[in-house]
Amino acid sequence: KKAIAVMTSGGDSPGMNAAARAVVRTALYEGVKVYGINNGYQGMLDDDIEELTSRSVSDLIQRGGTFLGTARCPEFKTPEGRRKGYENLVKRGIEGLVIIGGDGSLTGGSLLSKETGLPIVGLPGTIDNDVWGMDYTIGCDTAANTIVDAINKLRDTASAHRRIMLVEVMGRNSGWLAMMSGIAGGAEFVLVPEVKFNIDTMCEEIKEMYDAGKRYSIIVVAEGAGSAIEIGKAVEEKTGIDTRVSVLGHIQRGGSPTVEDRMKASMLGEKAALAIISGASDVVFGFNEGKVVAVNLFEAVNNTKTLNPELVRLARVLA
Ligand code: ADP
């Protein structure tokens, strides 16, 4: 292959830069031209595409966000939109595309591949860790660390005032971030969309803990499980204990990627570049149980990942 392209799409995540950098440098090392598509599918449609050099990706490995920019692009959901994007690639001689993004972005990529035959390799770039067939996505480790850091701080003030503290975290329909940060942050309760919960029972348990002398209680709420503000109101009413809510929001998306995210993003970026150069298509590279796995793109987007039941049990046992 003579030329490939790389893009980031959907919600940004720490480590996207490291992944794109690895794609660019691997391609150049192999003597292949590499284009960067700015602002996701929107840039593909707007023809906002430029050739990248090794220097284009300097000073990036430590940065969160994505130097390519990202966007949400409704027009790409139409076949006409995808055709228009494809033509902007073909006219530059681009013969393969690496897409770094979440479930939605990979779905868009799978349609582009099916309709045009353009070879597509995906990398899972999302803090949500919700891509089927793998237990890691680029950025999830940094986000989980950010949340745990916040929980540590909230614990200090909750304890000082004998308060109940609810922490709402991201994850869309997935409870993975909540579960990981709940376990690592030592939360008393973790509310996730995958597991039914009963606020009344939880409140009874909290009251018992307080009666037994506990000074505070941390409840991590996945955004997909409900609004922490609403749940917090109910908890305060039912327990009569001073309750506060902290919605962490976009803090969770930013920051310098952890070593784990940098390393895995770099390894996956190299894999993706080598695969697309050698003519592979319709595959998403990820990590599962510590090893690189290649998941079929269509299977990845057509299946829904479930939450590891061992984590659910561990959170309950340790609380
Ligand atoms: P993420 O990739 O983080 O899941 P989104 O779901 O917002 O983020 O998807 C990012 C972009 O991918 C959308 O703005 C759209 O351009 C494209 N996309 C998402 N879902 C589809 C779909 N079903 N068909 C075609 N394109 C899609």
Side-chain angles (χ1 to χ4, degrees), residues 5 35 37 41 43-49 75-76 78-95 97 112-113 115-118 120:
Y35 289 91
I37 301 171
Y41 292 124
M44 192 191 287
L45 299 194
D46 297 344
D47 208 18
D48 189 358
I49 301 168
E75 199 186 339
F76 199 77
T78 66
E80 299 74 33
R82 293 191 288 272
R83 172 61 53 178
K84 189 167 136 196
Y86 171 71
E87 278 160 11
N88 287 334
L89 303 183
V90 169
K91 74 179 184 197
R92 288 184 173 79
I94 292 168
E95 296 160 297
L97 171 63
L112 186 65
S113 162
E115 290 165 5
T116 66
L118 181 77
I120 304 271

Side-chain angles (χ1 to χ4, degrees), residues 9-11 41 71-74 76-77 82 101-108 111 125-126 172:
S9 171
Y41 292 124
R72 298 210 148 96
C73 173
F76 199 77
K77 293 191 177 175
R82 293 191 288 272
D103 210 41
S105 305
L106 298 174
T107 302
L111 294 171
T126 166
R172 283 219 222 177

Side-chain angles (χ1 to χ4, degrees), residues 291-313:
K291 290 202 176 69
V292 174
V293 289
V295 177
N296 178 277
L297 175 61
F298 299 98
E299 282 185 39
V301 298
N302 289 325
N303 289 293
T304 304
K305 188 168 152 182
T306 52
L307 195 58
N308 182 350
E310 285 175 33
L311 292 182
V312 177
R313 202 196 51 231

Side-chain angles (χ1 to χ4, degrees), residues 134-178:
M134 50 195 73
D135 61 13
Y136 167 85
T137 59
I138 295 163
C140 73
D141 184 62
T142 304
N145 276 284
T146 300
I147 298 168
V148 168
D149 186 45
I151 292 175
N152 291 343
K153 290 172 177 155
L154 292 168
R155 203 188 255 281
D156 291 343
T157 167
S159 169
H161 290 271
R162 290 205 81 187
R163 277 176 180 153
I164 298 171
M165 188 66 78
L166 283 87
V167 190
E168 184 180 306
V169 306
M170 285 183 167
R172 283 219 222 177
N173 299 319
S174 162
W176 185 88
L177 267 178

Side-chain angles (χ1 to χ4, degrees), residues 53-275:
T53 65
S54 192
R55 286 278 301 285
S56 314
V57 291
S58 297
D59 197 25
L60 276 182
I61 192 157
Q62 78 283 16
R63 293 185 204 278
T66 161
F67 80 104
L68 289 168
T70 181
R72 298 210 148 96
C73 173
E75 199 186 339
F76 199 77
K77 293 191 177 175
T78 66
E80 299 74 33
R82 293 191 288 272
R83 172 61 53 178
K84 189 167 136 196
Y86 171 71
E87 278 160 11
N88 287 334
L89 303 183
V90 169
K91 74 179 184 197
R92 288 184 173 79
I94 292 168
E95 296 160 297
L97 171 63
V98 176
I99 300 169
I100 307 167
D103 210 41
S105 305
L106 298 174
T107 302
S110 72
L111 294 171
L112 186 65
S113 162
K114 206 188 297 178
E115 290 165 5
T116 66
L118 181 77
I120 304 271
V121 169
L123 291 182
T126 166
I127 63 168
D128 302 337
N129 200 356
D130 59 352
V131 178
W132 185 85
M134 50 195 73
D135 61 13
Y136 167 85
T137 59
I138 295 163
C140 73
D141 184 62
T142 304
N145 276 284
T146 300
I147 298 168
V148 168
D149 186 45
I151 292 175
N152 291 343
K153 290 172 177 155
L154 292 168
R155 203 188 255 281
D156 291 343
T157 167
S159 169
H161 290 271
R162 290 205 81 187
R163 277 176 180 153
I164 298 171
M165 188 66 78
L166 283 87
V167 190
E168 184 180 306
V169 306
M170 285 183 167
R172 283 219 222 177
N173 299 319
S174 162
W176 185 88
L177 267 178
M179 202 42 88
M180 289 297 278
S181 57
I183 294 170
E188 274 67 41
F189 298 93
V190 185
L191 309 184
V192 294
E194 294 89 344
V195 183
K196 273 215 178 90
F197 54 89
N198 182 319
I199 294 185
D200 291 320
T201 331
M202 182 174 82
C203 289
E204 284 310 315
E205 286 176 29
I206 293 173
K207 277 198 279 186
E208 281 167 27
M209 287 190 225
Y210 269 66
D211 289 343
K214 197 150 174 46
R215 290 197 59 85
Y216 65 97
S217 185
I218 305 280
I219 306 173
V220 179
V221 182
E223 64 178 345
S227 153
I229 293 176
E230 296 305 315
I231 297 171
K233 271 186 205 149
V235 167
E236 183 158 47
E237 237 165 63
K238 288 176 201 290
T239 58
I241 299 167
D242 212 15
T243 300
R244 292 291 183 276
V245 177
S246 193
V247 179
L248 295 186
H250 284 78
I251 292 271
Q252 298 163 89
R253 286 268 190 84
S256 182
T258 58
V259 172
E260 179 174 356
D261 279 334
R262 294 182 198 196
M263 284 304 298
K264 287 185 166 161
S266 298
M267 291 167 79
L268 292 176
E270 185 203 28
K271 277 271 177 207
L274 292 176

Side-chain angles (χ1 to χ4, degrees), residues 10-31:
D12 64 306
S13 70
M16 278 185 160
N17 278 328
R21 168 182 179 269
V23 171
V24 171
R25 294 218 165 139
T26 302
L28 295 174
Y29 186 85
E30 297 293 323

